Amino acid sequence: MKSIIFYLSSLFKRIILILICSFLFFSCNEDEFLKEVPLDFYSPENSYVTYNDFVAAIYNLHYLTREAFWEDTNPQIWWRGTDMVQSMYDVDNSLSYSIEWGPMGGYNLYLWKISYRIIYDANVIIGRSDSEFSKLTEEEKILVKAEARFFRGYFYKCLADLFGGVPLVLEEIKSPKRDYVRATREEVYDQCAQDLKFAADNLPDIDDVDESRINKLAASHILAEVYISSGDYNNAIIEASKIINHPNVALMTSRFGANKEKLFNDPNFVGDLYWDLFRNGNQDRFAGNTESIWVIQFKYNEGDRDGILGGGGRLSYSLGRQVAPDLTKANIRQTNGKTSPVLKQANTYYNQRGQGFNKPSPYFLYKIWSAGDLRNSSCNIIRDYPVLNPDNQYNGKWVKADNLPLVVSKSTDTTRFFYPTIGKIISPGMDPPEYIDTNPDVPAGSLLYDARRTWRKHYQIRLAETYLLRAEAYLGAGQTSNACNDINVVRRRANAPDATPDQITIDYILDERLRELYYEELRVMTLGRLGKIVDRTSRFDPIVSRTIGAHQNLWAIPKSEIIKNVEAVLEQNPGY
């Protein structure tokens, strides 16, 4: 019995000794032992672990980008005070350009805040991909960094285009910081180039990635733009050529895709090639569109924050409302002396729920077109309308063709209620069924109040722009004939007469961008990076020219950001 007790006692001591040794061996890393990782709520430690975690964060960058540029009333930020638009706010003198884009203005503060929010989120993704908690493979890490660096480079480009030099922040900020200083514009563009080159080198090719994600050609396009802004024209040509020479990329030169949209509900309406580019469902490459490079995803009722499917819920992308006139308030004088509107009710087959906030400028509408140009055809710039109102004695007649007595007694009659509609910003006949008024007493296609959105995807980059970008680089490099050749590729597709080398100037290219990219491009950024905001606006917008200052090629640094930066001087741009 004693021997058994001795044996058990000895065994117990050995087990204790083994446990002690094991504890000492495996717990020698005190930092690992003390590390706390929350299990029941999201934290930085458990939010960026798996590849799916990082992809979800990247989807949010797409969502924020869509929100920044195109949701609700945001598009007017990129159009107002340019040669493309005559805003109702300028016409009625309710807003002054010098104030709206001054230190206390709202538009410049919006761009500043949304850009730095996206840059912050991109920095978090980049930094966390290297953290000890990350379970990314090396290949996944490169892909994640490439897409995040694309967005960081892109939004620093936007800031540099409009503000000049801005603070460069390249790491996640984890504690309050109040000592930001501005880098030079050149330094910002250099950082953009580094980020975008990494993205172009490491992102998937255009046909190897989902339509909703960024591909290497999109990165090369923005990189070419940055090189132009830095005066590096040769590298800009190289990057743009990667896109233009890609075997699976080409301008659309014949009609394609869904052609179900019928203007004015006319069963004989056929449209044209340029019209096809902007029909609902024709933007993505799977629809056969070989000139799409980057398409912002919008899809009706797919969820507000769904980066893959498009999202937007019910409250996004109101191009028709922002740009089209409000024909329900465009009145025709009746023979009894009373007036009656062109439309009894907003209509899906006309201009949807246009409100006339951003009328195309007279320069755009009447000064830049050649005969035969498809981009100015009767379906792409709709300059006349048939009356659709049973209460109007001229119901069925055309306002201009039949010389109807349109009332033009006040400025809003021609700046909000009656002017040409841009075909690419409407989707006639494609509003969701629940937005169609089924009341038998109103014309077919009449819309309910909530039908204020354009449920179609939006080109952020299209190959036609890459041609015009390379033309700009060729011009900067002194290769005018090559610049002219690129411009003519775009013009020939539109059935426009060829340009000649002696015509090619930066102003000609800006006019061609107007002709091809109207209401697609972020116009003020194009003018901003070229230092042309004041020049083009002063010459071609007689209303804004009254209030714009000579210093406003750069927007003001928001005063609220300067005030908060108490530990260093965040310098204001000259003239503010």
Side-chain angles (χ1 to χ4, degrees):
M1 184 68 177
K2 289 183 179 179
S3 63
I4 293 174
I5 293 173
F6 175 80
Y7 172 78
L8 290 175
S9 175
S10 176
L11 179 62
F12 179 73
K13 290 177 181 178
R14 289 178 184 177
I15 291 172
I16 294 297
L17 181 61
I18 290 169
L19 288 174
I20 292 172
C21 291
S22 298
F23 178 79
L24 292 173
F25 178 78
F26 289 109
S27 64
C28 59
N29 187 338
E30 187 174 285
D31 291 338
E32 281 292 318
F33 178 71
L34 296 175
K35 189 184 297 179
E36 296 182 8
V37 179
L39 299 177
D40 59 349
F41 62 89
Y42 287 113
S43 72
E45 289 77 21
N46 66 21
S47 296
Y48 296 89
V49 179
T50 68
Y51 182 61
N52 286 339
D53 293 339
F54 284 92
V55 169
I58 286 171
Y59 286 164
N60 192 55
L61 297 181
H62 285 266
Y63 169 80
L64 292 172
T65 299
R66 181 179 63 203
E67 179 183 74
F69 293 137
W70 300 113
E71 289 202 359
D72 201 32
T73 63
N74 291 352
Q76 67 175 313
I77 300 174
W78 325 116
W79 302 335
R80 278 195 60 206
T82 71
D83 48 4
M84 189 179 78
V85 159
Q86 199 167 68
S87 167
M88 62 162 285
Y89 304 108
D90 300 316
V91 173
D92 67 12
N93 295 312
S94 62
L95 295 175
S96 163
Y97 189 95
S98 60
I99 294 174
E100 277 304 295
W101 276 265
M104 304 299 290
Y107 291 149
N108 48 351
L109 178 60
Y110 175 78
L111 176 62
W112 183 279
K113 292 178 74 172
I114 193 71
S115 295
Y116 274 112
R117 178 182 173 183
I118 291 170
I119 288 166
Y120 172 84
D121 287 351
N123 283 338
V124 171
I125 293 169
I126 294 164
R128 299 279 176 175
S129 69
D130 286 323
S131 79
E132 58 190 315
F133 299 101
S134 169
K135 294 183 180 179
L136 297 178
T137 67
E138 285 304 311
E139 181 181 4
E140 289 171 342
K141 188 182 298 185
I142 289 172
L143 287 173
V144 163
K145 285 184 175 180
E147 198 159 1
R149 289 187 70 172
F150 171 86
F151 282 103
R152 185 172 72 179
Y154 184 49
F155 277 89
Y156 268 128
K157 183 203 81 74
C158 295
L159 290 169
D161 288 346
L162 292 175
F163 294 102
V166 296
L168 277 175
V169 183
L170 304 177
E171 295 180 350
E172 178 184 355
I173 301 299
K174 299 182 179 180
S175 60
K177 180 175 170 63
R178 302 180 182 87
D179 60 348
Y180 294 104
V181 294
R182 296 176 66 177
T184 66
R185 195 181 206 179
E186 292 73 21
E187 290 169 337
V188 177
Y189 280 138
D190 180 66
Q191 180 59 47
C192 295
Q194 292 180 47
D195 280 340
L196 292 164
K197 187 175 188 312
F198 183 88
D201 289 343
N202 292 289
L203 283 170
D205 205 352
I206 191 164
D207 290 323
D208 296 332
V209 67
D210 185 88
E211 299 274 9
S212 66
R213 302 288 291 277
I214 302 299
N215 61 76
K216 62 169 60 261
L217 299 191
S220 284
H221 178 101
I222 304 300
L223 180 56
E225 194 172 315
V226 169
Y227 281 143
I228 290 171
S229 299
S230 301
D232 188 352
Y233 301 115
N234 289 330
N235 272 322
I237 293 166
I238 290 170
E239 291 301 320
S241 298
K242 290 178 182 178
I243 306 165
I244 292 168
N245 298 333
H246 193 285
N248 296 332
V249 171
L251 291 184
M252 299 301 295
T253 55
S254 58
R255 300 206 62 186
F256 73 102
N259 297 294
K260 298 178 181 178
E261 298 178 35
K262 300 295 183 182
L263 195 58
F264 307 136
N265 205 17
D266 177 0
N268 298 315
F269 176 81
V270 293
D272 57 32
L273 171 58
Y274 194 73
W275 168 266
D276 288 349
L277 286 168
F278 304 97
R279 295 315 97 213
N280 207 317
N282 285 3
Q283 287 70 52
D284 285 328
R285 291 178 64 80
F286 69 76
N289 188 336
T290 56
E291 69 179 86
S292 294
I293 305 298
W294 177 17
V295 178
I296 300 292
Q297 303 292 299
F298 287 95
K299 194 171 183 180
Y300 175 64
N301 221 17
E302 288 277 357
D304 283 344
R305 300 177 68 89
D306 190 336
I308 300 178
L309 295 179
R314 295 172 179 262
L315 297 174
S316 63
Y317 200 37
S318 58
L319 283 192
R321 183 170 182 264
Q322 289 294 307
V323 180
D326 184 357
L327 296 175
T328 66
K329 294 185 175 64
N331 286 307
I332 306 294
R333 185 76 61 187
Q334 310 290 285
T335 53
N336 63 6
K338 296 182 179 181
T339 63
S340 183
V342 173
L343 287 185
K344 182 179 180 68
Q345 194 167 324
N347 195 283
T348 185
Y349 298 108
Y350 278 62
N351 58 344
Q352 296 171 289
R353 285 202 62 86
Q355 294 291 293
F357 297 130
N358 294 279
K359 171 187 174 181
S361 70
Y363 180 71
F364 167 77
L365 287 174
Y366 306 113
K367 299 293 186 181
I368 65 173
W369 299 104
S370 302
D373 194 323
L374 287 181
R375 300 166 298 188
N376 185 32
S377 70
S378 60
C379 62
N380 292 315
I381 301 181
I382 304 154
R383 298 173 184 269
D384 198 5
Y385 311 90
V387 176
L388 185 64
N389 182 356
D391 300 330
N392 191 310
Q393 72 179 78
Y394 300 106
N395 188 40
K397 298 287 188 181
W398 290 75
V399 175
K400 296 180 72 174
D402 293 318
N403 198 27
L404 303 187
L406 181 70
V407 175
V408 291
S409 59
K410 55 188 183 299
S411 64
T412 51
D413 290 331
T414 54
T415 59
R416 287 199 66 187
F417 305 150
F418 191 91
Y419 58 78
T421 292
I422 303 303
K424 70 168 65 172
I425 58 93
I426 58 173
S427 299
M430 299 301 290
D431 283 279
E434 55 264 48
Y435 290 158
I436 303 295
D437 194 337
T438 57
N439 184 341
D441 296 329
V442 297
S446 292
L447 291 171
L448 300 170
Y449 175 77
D450 285 342
R452 296 178 290 167
R453 309 297 165 179
T454 305
W455 298 107
R456 193 194 66 236
K457 299 176 182 182
H458 186 88
Y459 298 108
Q460 195 76 359
I461 301 173
R462 191 159 54 84
L463 181 62
E465 182 181 3
T466 311
Y467 273 103
L468 298 180
L469 204 59
R470 190 171 72 172
E472 194 179 321
Y474 276 135
L475 179 65
Q479 301 178 44
T480 308
S481 292
N482 284 336
C484 186
N485 290 338
D486 275 352
I487 292 168
N488 284 335
V489 170
V490 176
R491 290 182 63 77
R492 287 169 190 161
R493 193 269 293 276
N495 199 36
D498 278 2
T500 56
D502 60 293
Q503 292 179 283
I504 306 306
T505 63
I506 194 62
D507 273 318
Y508 189 93
I509 292 175
L510 286 171
D511 283 350
E512 192 62 32
R513 289 181 69 98
L514 269 186
R515 288 185 279 263
E516 180 66 29
L517 303 170
Y518 55 89
Y519 293 99
E520 282 181 75
E521 72 166 322
L522 308 172
R523 185 64 177 178
V524 74
M525 289 190 189
T526 298
L527 299 181
R529 67 178 173 79
L530 292 168
K532 283 282 191 176
I533 294 175
V534 175
D535 172 57
R536 297 281 295 193
T537 300
S538 296
R539 286 193 286 143
F540 303 131
D541 188 332
I543 297 174
V544 172
S545 65
R546 302 171 194 163
T547 60
I548 193 170
H551 60 288
Q552 290 192 278
N553 277 321
L554 292 178
W555 286 4
I557 305 297
K559 187 174 182 179
S560 60
E561 301 302 293
I562 293 174
I563 292 173
K564 289 188 294 187
N565 199 62
V566 295
E567 297 175 20
V569 176
L570 189 60
E571 294 183 356
Q572 183 57 273
N573 278 323
Y576 291 104

